[in-house]
Amino acid sequence: MKYLAERLKSARLINGLSLQGLADRIDNRVTKQALSKYEQGQVVPDSDMIGVLAEALKVRPDYFHTDTEVKFGEIEFRKLKNYPSKEKNRIIEIAKNELSRYIELEEILGIETKFENPLEDIAIKSHEDIEKAAEKLREVWGLGSDSISNVIELLEDHHVKVLEINSSEAFDGFSTWVNGNDIPLIVLNKSKFENKLDRKRFTAFHELAHLLLDVNGYEEKQKEKFCHAFASAMLIPEYTLKQELGGKRSKLSITELGAIKQQYGISMQALVYRAKNLGFISDNYLKQFYMVFNQLGYRVNEPVDYKGMEQSNRFSQLLFRALAEEFISMSKAASLKNQKLAEFRKENMVI
């Protein structure tokens, strides 16, 4: 009863509906007051009404009976003080819904979901500490000093959940811990990164920094600087950038920076800023570079694009593994994929 009430409210928020809006969508077969009692767990709708609500909210009827627990920690929509509450609630509920299906699938397969933070013992007091943290994470995850081909897949392989959700609002992403400190979650705004994969990679590592680094004691501006520095250090380590640039430089070529961007998947602007932080170029040259970049109109759209693969198929792989090994039925697979059975059968072939 408790879970049905929570799931009903979640589905309503995902659809961006008020209680009256949902009542109108089901042709007022029950009042908004009755719907409120459903959501508060005071009254349980009968099976016919569950079917009506499922159809109106575009979910399967068994959606209301899922009891996988998903509790989010604190969430900050940074840089958006006036973020619309309706859209914020919609995104959070979509994330909870997708993550609950993901966790349920891992539980069915007996996969451990608890995450151990390899950086929890590193005190962050300077940029040197950020470099140490990035070096340690690369070492623990066996990355060496090479470029990372797929950041999203890397995070998922190391039990960091990454969800991509479309939003018309101007947020890049957010992160939070789920169910205490068991599961780190990163949510990215899919619509912001369709043609800017370098920004997607950077944002994913930036959000990872908020999760793994102890920077909460700093003011917001300094906290963001540390997380930016961590993202850059993960994308291209100090040793690697020194090899690419050949040490200290008085000038940098846009063509040269474009080539490094294409290899390491980090924006030209982030590269130059990192080169300044590491002492490879001067503060004055950094200012001059940004001034020229502005004049050429490159601050928003850089002259060279990063082409790569930035997504993870882990959920789908686990789903079809569970189906092939008969841990779940075809109907359950469709439910976990949030599809109708006929639609699931049509799109997916299982031998």
Side-chain angles (χ1 to χ4, degrees):
M1 184 169 175
K2 169 192 170 187
Y3 291 113
L4 187 149
E6 290 177 353
R7 301 285 281 176
L8 175 58
K9 183 176 182 179
S10 177
R12 176 174 64 78
L13 292 173
I14 287 171
N15 281 268
L17 296 172
S18 64
L19 286 167
Q20 186 58 58
L22 178 55
D24 292 341
R25 185 173 284 190
I26 61 172
D27 298 323
N28 291 291
R29 291 181 60 169
V30 293
T31 64
K32 72 173 184 179
Q33 288 80 10
L35 291 172
S36 178
K37 288 180 179 180
Y38 293 164
E39 289 189 2
Q40 293 176 48
Q42 296 175 1
V43 177
V44 179
D46 61 26
S47 57
D48 287 342
M49 180 52 60
I50 287 176
V52 170
L53 292 169
E55 187 69 27
L57 296 170
K58 302 171 186 174
V59 296
R60 290 168 50 103
D62 56 8
Y63 163 89
F64 296 112
H65 303 295
T66 300
D67 59 2
T68 301
E69 188 172 48
V70 174
K71 289 186 177 179
F72 281 9
E74 185 178 350
I75 297 174
E76 291 182 36
F77 283 71
R78 286 177 290 281
K79 298 185 289 187
L80 289 175
K81 294 180 180 178
N82 299 316
Y83 198 89
S85 294
K86 183 177 179 180
E87 180 64 3
K88 178 180 177 180
N89 290 333
R90 186 186 75 86
I91 291 168
I92 290 173
E93 293 305 324
I94 290 174
K96 284 182 178 178
N97 179 31
E98 290 191 13
L99 187 60
S100 70
R101 289 185 277 113
Y102 203 151
I103 293 172
E104 184 181 359
L105 177 58
E106 289 184 322
E107 289 173 347
I108 290 169
L109 289 169
I111 294 173
E112 178 64 49
T113 59
K114 187 173 175 59
F115 178 86
E116 298 292 338
N117 181 2
L119 306 181
E120 62 183 353
D121 295 329
I122 296 181
I124 303 299
K125 297 179 180 179
S126 66
H127 279 282
E128 286 74 21
D129 296 326
I130 294 292
E131 294 296 322
K132 289 177 186 175
E135 285 174 14
K136 181 172 182 180
L137 189 61
R138 274 182 160 265
E139 179 184 347
V140 172
W141 285 2
L143 303 177
S145 58
D146 295 332
S147 61
I148 298 170
S149 61
N150 188 330
V151 170
I152 307 304
E153 186 174 66
L154 172 74
L155 296 177
E156 288 267 306
D157 286 346
H158 288 87
H159 304 295
V160 180
K161 298 295 185 287
V162 183
L163 302 178
E164 297 184 54
I165 297 171
N166 280 311
S167 174
S168 59
E169 296 299 326
F171 88 100
D172 290 344
F174 67 81
S175 53
T176 190
W177 286 94
V178 180
N179 298 344
N181 288 330
D182 285 354
I183 303 170
L185 171 68
I186 294 171
V187 175
L188 301 175
N189 186 352
K190 188 175 182 180
S191 59
K192 288 290 289 288
F193 303 120
E194 286 183 288
N195 299 311
K196 291 183 171 64
L197 294 185
D198 54 306
R199 282 191 59 192
K200 183 178 182 179
R201 291 159 61 85
F202 187 93
T203 301
F205 274 137
H206 177 101
E207 294 301 333
L208 184 69
H210 279 286
L211 291 168
L212 304 190
L213 301 181
D214 184 14
V215 294
N216 288 327
Y218 294 96
E219 63 178 21
E220 194 64 27
K221 190 174 181 180
Q222 183 58 58
K223 192 191 301 187
E224 291 298 291
K225 282 185 178 180
F226 279 149
C227 293
H228 283 334
F230 179 83
S232 296
M234 285 300 298
L235 289 170
I236 184 164
E238 179 178 0
Y239 169 81
T240 306
L241 184 57
K242 185 176 182 180
Q243 291 291 106
E244 292 290 349
L245 297 181
K248 289 192 175 183
R249 298 281 295 273
S250 59
K251 289 183 180 181
L252 296 171
S253 154
I254 287 181
T255 303
E256 172 190 20
L257 291 171
I260 298 174
K261 172 180 178 174
Q262 288 175 320
Q263 183 174 353
Y264 294 94
I266 179 173
S267 74
M268 298 161 76
Q269 294 166 85
L271 273 171
V272 175
Y273 196 82
R274 179 152 174 71
K276 189 273 294 184
N277 278 345
L278 294 174
F280 297 149
I281 61 171
S282 68
D283 286 352
N284 285 336
Y285 182 74
L286 176 71
K287 292 174 184 175
Q288 180 185 337
F289 176 87
Y290 278 142
M291 183 179 68
V292 173
F293 234 56
N294 260 330
Q295 291 172 348
L296 295 173
Y298 292 157
R299 286 300 292 270
V300 177
N301 295 305
E302 295 187 345
V304 176
D305 291 330
Y306 170 72
K307 305 292 185 184
M309 178 69 71
E310 279 303 326
Q311 63 183 46
S312 172
N313 295 314
R314 185 172 181 269
F315 177 84
S316 291
Q317 290 170 346
L318 293 179
L319 182 73
F320 287 103
R321 171 179 143 194
L323 187 57
E325 295 183 5
E326 299 183 349
F327 282 99
I328 57 175
S329 65
M330 186 75 77
S331 177
K332 183 61 177 178
S335 175
L336 289 168
K337 199 83 183 289
N338 200 28
Q339 289 182 315
K340 293 181 178 178
L341 180 57
E343 181 186 3
F344 182 82
R345 286 183 185 277
K346 184 178 179 180
E347 291 184 6
N348 304 285
M349 181 177 71
V350 182
I351 300 173

